Amino acid sequence: GRDRINIAIDGPAGAGKSTVARKVAETLNYIYIDTGAMYRAVTLSALNNGIKADDKEALSRHAESIDITLMPSEAGQVVRLNGEDVTTAIRSREVTLHVSQVSAVERVRLRLVAMQRQLAHNKGVVMDGRDIGSHVLPGAELKVFLTASVEERALRRFKELNGRDGISLEQLEREIAERDRKDQEREISPLVCAPDAIVLDSTSMTIDEVADNIVNLSRTKLAEAK
Ligand code: CDP
Ligand code: CDP
């Protein structure tokens, strides 16, 4: 309708996309959709079924056979894989290390993008990912490209992990940089800043500053859409 818009938030790992998107959705009473969680769920399922991350045909067939659902919740979003709650399991280091390879497979993306477009059909959605503004929702009324220095992004993740995974800050920074590189260099819908996206560098911004900024931008876009 004319009283709601779609908001696309893209950017590299640890830029603050999901934290900020969740806040913006809460403020506007919109639905938050974390598309990275979908790619993580496919990756988790493939790993659990012994499918190799380089077997594109098997990954494609697998992605087409599983059932992934996202449900808004108090904490943001509950992710279900064939009915099972995998919200925590999809954040494992194992999944993180393989997700970029799985998400580079064309048929995996086709399946998930179709779901994402369906979810955004009625507007009033804040969707975060890598290719939302550039590919999934090219008509989104507001597109934000959220970024921050790789050092800051690694530090944020390091604090968030709080010792889990037993990984050093330096190693984390290398792994984040490597995942960004893979996401930027893949052939199909790579991580890019859409030409009409507003770039926000959150390196020295708080979560609330970024969220308020996006809410204000959305109010402007909403007024324009009317
Ligand atoms: O939260 P974090 O930044 O660690 O990553 P995520 O948003 O959970 O996304 C995990 C991975 O999924 C990314 O590194 C991409 O490889 C892939 N992804 C994608 O290809 N397209 C999207 N729209 C969202 C995520
Ligand atoms: O979704 P994405 O990978 O872009 O990042 P995130 O998971 O939302 O944020 C990564 C971490 O950075 C979280 O622990 C946030 O609380 C934190 N963060 C921050 O400290 N300052 C910001 N401006 C944004 C996020």
Side-chain angles (χ1 to χ4, degrees):
R2 299 159 85 217
D3 50 346
R4 296 196 301 181
I5 60 169
N6 278 337
I7 304 176
I9 304 182
D10 293 296
K17 299 181 299 298
S18 35
T19 312
V20 163
R22 195 181 306 139
K23 272 197 168 266
V24 170
E26 203 176 84
T27 306
L28 298 175
N29 211 2
Y30 279 18
I31 295 167
Y32 163 55
I33 296 160
D34 175 357
T35 64
M38 295 179 172
Y39 290 94
R40 286 175 176 275
V42 172
T43 305
L44 175 73
S45 187
L47 290 171
N48 284 347
N49 285 278
I51 297 168
K52 297 273 182 296
D54 62 356
D55 188 343
K56 292 181 188 162
E57 179 57 32
L59 286 171
S60 299
R61 270 186 281 114
H62 191 69
E64 285 158 4
S65 75
I66 58 178
D67 178 50
I68 297 166
T69 58
L70 302 182
M71 280 258 293
S73 83
E74 196 85 332
Q77 179 189 264
V78 171
V79 186
R80 288 186 190 281
L81 173 63
N82 295 330
E84 188 194 342
D85 185 341
V86 293
T87 312
T88 308
I90 59 169
R91 305 286 156 198
S92 75
R93 177 139 191 267
E94 198 59 17
V95 169
T96 303
L97 287 175
H98 291 98
V99 64
S100 286
Q101 201 173 359
V102 173
S103 66
V105 177
E106 183 168 28
R107 276 161 62 195
V108 171
R109 300 200 72 81
L110 282 174
R111 164 92 209 277
L112 298 187
V113 168
M115 283 178 63
Q116 291 155 11
R117 288 184 176 148
Q118 185 61 39
L119 288 166
H121 188 73
N122 293 324
K123 304 258 169 142
V125 157
V126 185
M127 192 177 282
D128 89 307
R130 300 294 186 285
D131 61 338
I132 310 307
S134 61
H135 178 72
V136 180
L137 306 176
E141 287 80 0
L142 175 59
K143 299 178 186 178
V144 174
F145 192 82
L146 188 59
T147 186
S149 72
V150 69
E151 293 83 6
E152 172 65 20
R153 292 186 287 113
L155 188 61
R156 288 176 184 173
R157 264 304 141 76
F158 188 71
K159 287 179 183 162
E160 192 179 73
L161 283 171
N162 193 23
R164 256 181 299 132
D165 297 352
I167 171 174
S168 71
L169 177 59
E170 292 70 27
Q171 176 68 11
L172 195 58
E173 189 178 317
R174 278 194 295 273
E175 290 180 5
I176 285 179
E178 176 61 11
R179 185 146 61 93
D180 291 346
R181 190 187 62 75
K182 286 183 187 152
D183 290 342
Q184 285 159 349
E185 290 180 357
R186 72 168 172 244
E187 261 171 68
I188 309 140
S189 324
L191 166 64
V192 283
C193 179
D196 52 347
I198 291 159
V199 180
L200 280 182
D201 185 335
S202 77
T203 305
S204 50
M205 287 170 87
T206 66
I207 292 165
D208 284 341
E209 282 170 347
V210 179
D212 288 349
N213 210 308
I214 296 174
V215 168
N216 288 335
L217 287 168
S218 77
R219 298 211 198 280
T220 307
K221 293 288 178 186
L222 204 47
E224 282 172 14
K226 286 201 177 180

